[in-house]
Amino acid sequence: MATTKVPDIAAPPKRRVALKVVILLLSVLLLVFLGADAWLYHAAKAALPQLDGSLNLPGLHAPVIVLRDEHGVPAIQAASLDDLFFAQGYVTAQDRLWQMDMTRRYASGDLAVILGPDLVKHDTQQRILGMRQMAQRGVAALSPRDRGYMEDYARGVNAYIAQHQKTLPLEFRFLTYFPHAWTPDDSLLVGLSMYQYLNG
């Protein structure tokens, strides 16, 4: 009687070990990806403006109400112009802090320090124009009342920065830098930047 030999279909030992290593590496990569994705989602959500509830903001003299329409556009009700400008600064920083910081850096010639040496030429041109100095002179020429309003606005922006040091927009975290305090000069500098942009 003839006997038939059944072939061994198990993978050779070396191939089995390589397969286990590949599966382990893929599992680790998947866990890293899921962890990074969860962190990114949490960080992006934490940086969104607060749309409901109330906040306690030192610096206000009376309660301020901020109502947003269906598009998220805020309307502010305040008992005084000082509180109104403070709240406007806070709300604007909530919505646009990264854009605000980039605009003042663009105008004053401070982009290369965070975005790299490719922007040195641009920064040099902006510094030759002296827009930061123009803004300083403009603020110095304001009436005490108007300068006070700009200072109120800056205090509102800085209140937001101080309260959200760990939940700033993702751009600040990716570039690993922290925005410096907002000043009345910065507000006028942003206006000068818009004027420059609109005039080519």
Side-chain angles (χ1 to χ4, degrees), residues 34-55:
L34 291 174
D37 192 45
W39 176 86
L40 189 62
Y41 175 80
H42 174 72
K45 190 173 180 183
L48 291 174
Q50 179 178 334
L51 302 179
D52 300 310
S54 60
L55 293 170

Side-chain angles (χ1 to χ4, degrees), residues 21-39:
V21 168
V22 168
I23 290 172
L24 181 65
L25 284 174
L26 288 174
S27 300
V28 168
L29 286 173
L30 180 63
L31 287 174
V32 168
F33 173 78
L34 291 174
D37 192 45
W39 176 86

Side-chain angles (χ1 to χ4, degrees), residues 120-154:
V120 167
K121 182 178 178 184
H122 166 269
D123 285 355
T124 302
Q125 291 172 342
Q126 290 302 108
R127 291 186 184 202
I128 289 169
L129 288 175
M131 293 181 73
R132 169 69 67 185
Q133 292 78 10
M134 280 189 266
Q136 290 168 345
R137 288 195 300 272
V139 169
L142 290 173
S143 69
R145 185 201 68 172
D146 292 345
R147 192 178 314 117
Y149 292 152
M150 293 188 79
E151 287 167 358
D152 291 331
Y153 179 87

Side-chain angles (χ1 to χ4, degrees), residues 181-198:
W182 195 264
T183 67
D185 299 349
D186 292 326
S187 295
L188 198 52
L189 189 59
V190 168
L192 288 170
S193 176
M194 292 179 184
Y195 178 81
Q196 180 188 17
Y197 176 77
L198 292 172

